[in-house]
Amino acid sequence: MVYFSRWKILLVVGVCLFGLLYAAPNVLGSRLFEGLPGWMPGKQINLGLDLQGGSHLLLEVETDVVLREEAESMLDAVRIELRRDRIRYTGLSATTDGVSVRIPDADQREQALSAVRGLARQLSGSTLPGGDPGLEAAMSEDGRLTLVITEAARRERVTSAVQQSVEIIRRRVDELGTREPNIQRQGEDRVIVQLPGIDDPERIKDLIGQTAKLTFHLVDNSVNVQDALQGRVPPGSEVLPVDERDRQGAGASHIVLRKRVVVSGDRLVDSQPTYDENNLPAVSFRFDSVGGRRFGQATSENVGRQLAIVLDGKVISAPVIRSAILGGNGIITGRFSVQEAQDLSLLLRAGALPAPLNILEERTVGPGLGADSIAAGKIACIVGLILVVVFMVAAYGLFGVLADIALFFNICLIFALLSLLQATLTLPGIAGIVLTIGMAVDANVLIFERIREEVRLGRTPISAIDAGYQRALTTIIDSNLTTLIAAVLLFYFGSGPIRGFAVTLSIGLLTSMFTAIMVTRLLVVFYLRRRRPQVLPI
């Protein structure tokens, strides 16, 4: 244990230099390191919401909208199925659970039930875990036929909607360049969004809260808009409001569209801000192969008709199809500002939310509170460091000084790894660093006490040091491994600040083991070779 090969010496020196270089930007500032490649030092540790301030949002996903939209699609499918089989029906309507329709002819009820059951199998696709079919069809004695979503399917759809919302929110926030946001699910239908260092919370709320559901519909010119507003809407059509920035015709506020979606925004693969032929801000889009084929077919078959572009239930543009658009590319024009075009392209790239979001809670943390926390954390670290350094020198003399040198490199390595990983440092993370400082010399204490025992047994300095390191190694590994397991479990089961504490504690444990076993030992061996003492100063 007192022999160091050349490659080990180079390894220890290299790791220590790495710690110094990558931790330096946190002390000297990142400006000195500007212009260096991304893998070179120059990155500072990201500060969490509680340290640099920012926005905290608690959002609720309106999962009822998802179920209602599914019921609407089921209603259209049931209507088509019954008409195809020429089954007479009345009172077809969507409910919160599914679809309800009355079959007045008793002779057709069994046929209708069979047809709807077949439809249920098609719509369900694969069965849920446990053999649940997802949709169930039933016929009452008075001829009321219902197609309802099962409870297991309802839970699965709600969970899927919330998870999809979390992912889309994350994409939108990442597109804005916000570093290290904390976005996670809470409860059954809620999402927590924490955005450190955000300087425009209103814009963030607008981008996160907008559903951004894009669809393309053909305009229905068979009915007058005024008649449609009075309730005379043809079957398969609907009336939608026109966005205020793009009023159609002589200030028309609504337009009649076919309900059938020509192609939806789910098929978009890219969207970028651009300018139209009049040099006004616009948004370009590109479909995938399937969407491009559908878009090309629709424009080819409907030259001369209007194609409405609908975003979140509002018509933002309804241009006339002049010719077939076969490339899968298009452009959305309107009276956009440059910022609105950039935001819309961002929303379309990130994808549409499956359901609207409600902001239940909003908190803004000022940077002043974070500055106080940082100052308190610095004081705690400095006080803890001074006490540890003084104790080691008082207890073990020169060997304590060597342990303190290793402790310095240990702290450098912690900050270097946090900077390299671009981890987010929170107030609990600072607590983890303070705890690590106290635990960092624990391994040295075990080794030094073991060396003292060997000296008391009459061993020579070299023999005592060799035996001390060998016999204390197992205890050091066991003690640090059990703490590391606890830290891993905290990270796995915890969230937010708890994970921050677990990360700094885990990194601190690994670096403290390295500095105690390698750095301190190298310094001790170097001392033995240079001084060759007859009595150890310990």
Side-chain angles (χ1 to χ4, degrees), residues 18 35 43 62 92 118 164 184 222 290 346 398-399 431 437 458 467 508:
F18 159 81
K43 298 179 180 178
E62 293 187 25
L92 177 61
Q164 187 179 352
Q184 59 184 355
S222 64
V290 176
L346 183 155
L398 178 61
F399 276 49
I437 292 175

Side-chain angles (χ1 to χ4, degrees), residues 28 36 55 101 108 120 140 156 182 220 258 265 337 341 359 364 367 374 376 406 414 427 429 454 471 480 517 532 536:
L28 303 178
L36 295 178
S55 295
V101 61
Q108 291 185 321
S140 64
E156 189 272 338
N182 178 31
D220 187 355
R258 301 296 299 176
S337 66
I359 299 178
T364 300
I374 294 174
I414 292 174
L427 196 57
E454 299 299 329
R471 295 178 182 179
N480 284 275
I517 297 174
R532 299 184 182 278
L536 291 176

Side-chain angles (χ1 to χ4, degrees), residues 158-218:
V158 169
T159 299
S160 176
V162 176
Q163 290 176 345
Q164 187 179 352
S165 298
V166 170
E167 181 59 31
I168 290 173
I169 291 172
R170 191 182 307 279
R171 287 184 205 164
R172 293 181 180 182
V173 172
D174 289 344
E175 286 268 2
L176 290 170
T178 303
R179 295 192 304 174
E180 297 298 329
N182 178 31
I183 303 171
Q184 59 184 355
R185 178 179 178 180
Q186 184 184 67
E188 181 179 353
D189 58 356
R190 296 183 179 183
V191 180
I192 288 180
V193 180
Q194 292 181 337
L195 306 173
I198 204 69
D199 58 356
D200 191 359
E202 291 301 322
R203 183 183 175 214
I204 293 294
K205 286 192 294 182
D206 291 340
L207 289 175
I208 289 177
Q210 191 168 344
T211 307
K213 185 175 182 180
L214 182 73
T215 53
F216 294 79
H217 302 255
L218 289 171

Side-chain angles (χ1 to χ4, degrees), residues 218 260 262-263 292-303 307 321 324-325:
L218 289 171
R260 179 178 173 271
V262 173
V263 62
R293 187 168 59 251
R294 291 179 183 173
F295 193 65
Q297 181 180 357
T299 54
S300 300
E301 297 174 352
N302 297 279
V303 174
L307 181 68
I321 302 173
I325 305 174

